[in-house]
Amino acid sequence: MIRTLITAICFLVGSVAIQADDWPAFLGPQGAAKTTETVPTAWSQSENLQWKIDLPGTGSSSPIIVGDRIIVTCYVDGGDAERRVLCFDKNTGKQNWSVAFPIDYREDGYQGYITEHGYASNTPVTDGEDVYVFLGKGGVHSISLDGNKNWSVDVGKESSNRQWGSAASLMLLGDSVIVNAAEEAKAILSLDKKTGKELWRQEAGMLELTYGTPRVVKLDNGETELVISVPGEIWSLNPTTGKLKWFAESPMTGNVSPSVIVDGQTVYSFGGYRASGSIAVTAGGKKNVTDTNVVWTAKSSSYVATPLLHQGRFYWIDDRGIAYCISAKDGEIVYRERVNKLQSGRPVYASPVLIGEQIYVVTRRSGTLVYAPGDTFEPIAQNVLPDDETDFNASPAVSNGKLYLRSNQSLYCIAK
C-alpha cells in the first residue's frame, strides 16, 4: 500500500527536484496560477525595476523558473531564422546560456493570427533536472540545466486549416512529457522524458484548433485522467495509453485556446469562437457523459486567457478588455465590467495570476493591472513601462518575492 501511494505521488508530481520557489511550467506549479508570495503592486522604469534584459527575438511564451535560472524562448528573424532557448540568472539577469534551433523547414507564413502571437508561443516546462521545450514544427527538445541538448523529436509539420501557428504548452506527467501537437499532427503524444521515445499517440481530426495545455484529474477511486478541451467536447484520456475514457459535449465551438482548469474532480473549460461559452463537468465515467456529468454551461467565456479559479470564483480579463468574475458553482456572473485606459485592438492575451492577495493581469500594450478578488472590479494599480512599446503577451512568473515579465523586446525583474 505504501509503495502504491509513493508511486501515485511520483506519477502526479514528477521529479522531487522541483523547489517551492520554482515556477516550473505555464501558470506555475500544477498550472494553478497562484502563489502565496507577495511582489510589488506598483513599479515603473525608476521604481522597483530590479533589472531589464533585451532579448534577441520575439515571443509570447511565458518564462519559467528553476533554482536560480529563468528560461524563455524567442524567435529570431533574419537571413537564418531560428528559435532560441535562453537561460538567465534570475537574480542578476546575466545570461547563462543560449541554445539555437535553426528553422530549416517550411514554416507557416507570417500572416493572420501568427502576426499577433508569433513563432515562439509555447511555454517550456522543467522537472528540476532538465528543461523541455516545444517549438511547433521545430519539434520537442530536452535540454539540461547547463544548456546541453539531450534529445530532439519531430512531432509533425502539418498546419491547421487556419494556419495560426503553434501555441500549446508542454506538461509533465510522471516520467513522460505530454505534447498537444494538434496544430502539427492533429495528435496528443506522450514522450519518455529521458529519451524522447514516443510512448503513445492519440490522433483525431477533432483536435484541430485545440491550443490549450492538458491537465490531470485524480479520481477518488485512485484512477488518473488526462483531460483537455477540444472544439465542441471535453475529453478524458487514459494517461498511460492515450485511449479515450469519456467525453462530454461542450458549447465551445471553433478554436479553443484556454487550458482546462481542474478543481478536485471538476473540470472547467472556457473558449470557443468568439468566446462562445464555458462548462463545468464532473470527471469520471465512460463514453458519453454529457447527460450525467455536466454540472453547468454558461455563455460567459474567455477567448484567449485561461481564467483564474480562486475561492469558488473565476476571474479574467478577455481580449476585448472586459473584466469578468463568475461563480464556479453555477457559472452565474458576479460582475462584467469594461476596463478603462486600455489601447484598442485586442488588449489582453495573458492569463491572470493571483500573487498574495492580488490578481495581476498583464495587458498587451497598457501595462499590468493589479486588483483584488471580490464582488467588484476596482484596479489599485496599472503599471506601464513606457520605454517598451512592443506586445506583452506572456503571463508572468513569480519566485522569491520577484515578478518576472517578458515582452517581445525584453525580460524584466520587478522587486522591492
Side-chain angles (χ1 to χ4, degrees), residues 201-214:
R201 173 187 292 249
Q202 176 68 40
E203 297 180 335
M206 286 184 66
L207 282 168
E208 189 167 40
L209 304 180
T210 297
Y211 298 105
T213 302

Side-chain angles (χ1 to χ4, degrees), residues 129-291:
E129 297 176 355
D130 296 295
V131 176
Y132 305 89
V133 296
F134 182 25
L135 304 178
K137 293 178 178 59
V140 178
H141 309 269
S142 171
I143 305 171
S144 74
L145 293 183
D146 294 326
N148 299 311
K149 296 181 182 179
N150 296 322
W151 53 258
S152 298
V153 174
D154 185 348
V155 296
K157 287 184 166 56
E158 298 178 20
S159 300
S160 72
N161 55 26
R162 307 288 203 280
Q163 292 189 324
W164 285 347
S166 187
S169 297
L170 298 174
M171 70 163 289
L172 296 177
L173 186 58
D175 291 328
S176 65
V177 183
I178 305 299
V179 188
N180 173 10
E183 182 77 13
E184 297 76 16
K186 296 185 182 66
I188 297 176
L189 300 87
S190 175
L191 306 176
D192 183 282
K193 72 176 186 178
K194 292 299 183 183
T195 65
K197 178 184 177 181
E198 185 175 308
L199 302 176
W200 55 258
R201 173 187 292 249
Q202 176 68 40
E203 297 180 335
M206 286 184 66
L207 282 168
E208 189 167 40
L209 304 180
T210 297
Y211 298 105
T213 302
R215 297 300 184 199
V216 174
V217 180
K218 180 67 182 298
L219 301 179
D220 289 341
N221 62 8
E223 294 182 4
T224 304
E225 299 181 345
L226 185 68
V227 290
I228 191 167
S229 182
V230 308
E233 293 182 354
I234 306 289
W235 288 359
S236 166
L237 307 179
N238 183 321
T240 60
T241 65
K243 298 297 183 181
L244 185 69
K245 300 183 72 172
W246 58 261
F247 72 93
E249 297 173 8
S250 79
M252 287 82 69
T253 57
N255 54 296
V256 179
S257 297
S259 299
V260 293
I261 300 129
V262 174
D263 184 31
Q265 296 189 97
T266 305
V267 181
Y268 301 92
S269 181
F270 297 75
Y273 183 83
R274 291 231 348 125
S276 56
S278 52
I279 188 172
V281 183
T282 302
K286 295 181 180 180
K287 298 183 178 180
N288 189 343
V289 300
T290 305
D291 294 335

Side-chain angles (χ1 to χ4, degrees), residues 19-65:
Q19 303 299 313
D21 55 357
D22 287 345
W23 196 263
F26 178 58
L27 298 180
Q30 287 79 55
K34 59 181 63 177
T35 175
T36 57
E37 294 194 45
T38 58
V39 302
T41 57
W43 61 87
S44 66
Q45 296 289 154
S46 59
E47 178 189 11
N48 291 332
L49 177 56
Q50 188 169 87
W51 53 257
K52 167 191 172 184
I53 298 295
D54 287 340
L55 298 171
T58 60
S60 297
S61 59
S62 301
I64 64 168
I65 298 168

Side-chain angles (χ1 to χ4, degrees), residues 232-355:
E233 293 182 354
I234 306 289
W235 288 359
S236 166
L237 307 179
N238 183 321
T240 60
T241 65
K243 298 297 183 181
L244 185 69
K245 300 183 72 172
W246 58 261
F247 72 93
E249 297 173 8
S250 79
M252 287 82 69
T253 57
N255 54 296
V256 179
S257 297
S259 299
V260 293
I261 300 129
V262 174
D263 184 31
Q265 296 189 97
T266 305
V267 181
Y268 301 92
S269 181
F270 297 75
Y273 183 83
R274 291 231 348 125
S276 56
S278 52
I279 188 172
V281 183
T282 302
K286 295 181 180 180
K287 298 183 178 180
N288 189 343
V289 300
T290 305
D291 294 335
T292 57
N293 290 31
V294 173
V295 180
W296 55 258
T297 60
K299 293 183 178 179
S300 300
S301 195
S302 172
Y303 185 50
V304 180
T306 300
L308 165 71
L309 176 59
H310 176 60
Q311 294 182 349
R313 290 179 175 180
F314 285 105
Y315 298 86
W316 74 95
I317 299 177
D318 73 5
D319 70 314
R320 292 172 172 171
I322 306 295
Y324 282 87
C325 174
I326 71 169
S327 168
K329 180 180 179 181
D330 52 21
E332 292 296 315
I333 294 176
V334 177
Y335 66 71
R336 180 183 184 275
E337 299 185 26
R338 168 70 61 181
V339 182
N340 297 321
K341 299 180 181 179
L342 295 182
Q343 289 192 21
S344 59
R346 300 179 182 276
V348 178
Y349 270 10
S351 300
V353 174
L354 181 73
I355 307 173

